[in-house]
Amino acid sequence: MRLIFFTIKHFKSSCIFLAVLGVALAFIDAPIGSLYASEATIKESQPMGFIDLPAFAYGTYKINQDTKLKQENKYVVEGFIDTLPFYIKPVAGPRLRKQATPFQTIEFKQKGNLLGIKTDNFTQFAWTKADGQFQEFKNTPKGDFQLRRWVEDGALYSEGKKPNALKRSQYRFFADGSLKVNVTVHSKHLPKPLSLRYLYEKTGN
């Protein structure tokens, strides 16, 4: 009977954990730039923001990971998986490895005081002001969430928030066409924050 109780208890725990993990990983599976909101959905009551990025920042970037950085990200992911309970690893491990795969392309555009970001094969940009104010995104393919963007110390920050999960992406642009991206996912249900680093190279304006 004790064995049966142990199995049922851990099965329920694993289901809850995986459900929460899925919410957190949704931020990696479809990063904030790939979720669409038209300009009409932006609240007029928000303070007017401004895009304080250099002109060379805008354009299309392609993933350009070297072997060393790929290994570093792999160690981070495998170390994260090692912290998971043994009864969750067989399911969560493969999913986490898949979800942590970086996007191949990221595109940045400016339209007035709005910043648009689009990734991979998505046809629509996600438009927001870069004023640090949260904007509501409703009924998206990945559910409801809040998104804000701002510029600080020359870097662009994008922060997406769902109940019990938050993703922050830092984009640092360089005049030679390179882009460094740091992504961190937080959740009170995860054993620790998950942080990954990616390198991109500009391919067009």
Side-chain angles (χ1 to χ4, degrees), residues 188-199:
K188 67 179 183 180
H189 297 284
L190 299 179
K192 61 180 180 180
L194 176 62
S195 297
L196 299 168
R197 299 191 302 127
Y198 304 111
L199 288 177

Side-chain angles (χ1 to χ4, degrees), residues 22-176:
V23 171
L25 293 183
F27 283 117
I28 300 176
D29 181 42
I32 300 309
S34 69
L35 296 171
Y36 169 69
S38 67
E39 297 169 57
T41 65
I42 298 175
K43 297 180 180 179
E44 294 298 329
S45 60
Q46 290 181 340
M48 295 294 288
F50 62 96
I51 309 298
D52 189 17
L53 288 174
F56 62 74
Y58 300 100
T60 302
Y61 294 80
K62 184 177 181 179
I63 191 73
N64 185 30
Q65 300 282 83
D66 57 26
T67 303
K68 180 180 179 182
L69 189 52
K70 287 181 180 179
Q71 264 323 104
E72 288 179 2
N73 285 334
K74 181 179 179 180
Y75 290 148
V76 170
V77 173
E78 293 304 321
F80 187 89
I81 293 173
D82 285 343
T83 66
L84 301 178
F86 72 91
Y87 50 90
I88 293 176
K89 285 183 183 180
V91 178
R95 181 176 182 180
L96 181 58
R97 293 184 187 98
K98 179 180 178 181
Q99 304 292 357
T101 301
F103 282 88
Q104 297 303 300
T105 60
I106 306 177
E107 187 174 356
F108 301 85
K109 277 190 177 181
Q110 181 182 2
K111 185 183 294 185
N113 69 334
L114 299 179
L115 171 65
I117 301 179
K118 180 167 71 72
T119 58
D120 281 358
N121 297 322
F122 285 85
T123 59
Q124 302 286 359
F125 283 84
W127 295 98
T128 70
K129 297 176 181 179
D131 58 2
Q133 302 295 312
F134 274 110
Q135 176 184 321
E136 298 283 345
F137 283 65
K138 297 288 188 180
N139 301 317
T140 77
K142 296 297 179 179
D144 299 344
F145 65 96
Q146 293 180 303
L147 169 63
R148 64 173 180 167
R149 296 177 180 139
W150 71 97
V151 177
E152 183 178 336
D153 295 330
L156 170 66
Y157 290 84
S158 182
E159 191 171 84
K161 183 170 64 173
K162 282 188 174 185
N164 302 320
L166 182 145
K167 174 196 172 184
R168 174 178 288 189
S169 298
Q170 180 200 65
Y171 303 94
R172 193 167 292 278
F173 304 88
F174 297 89
D176 65 356

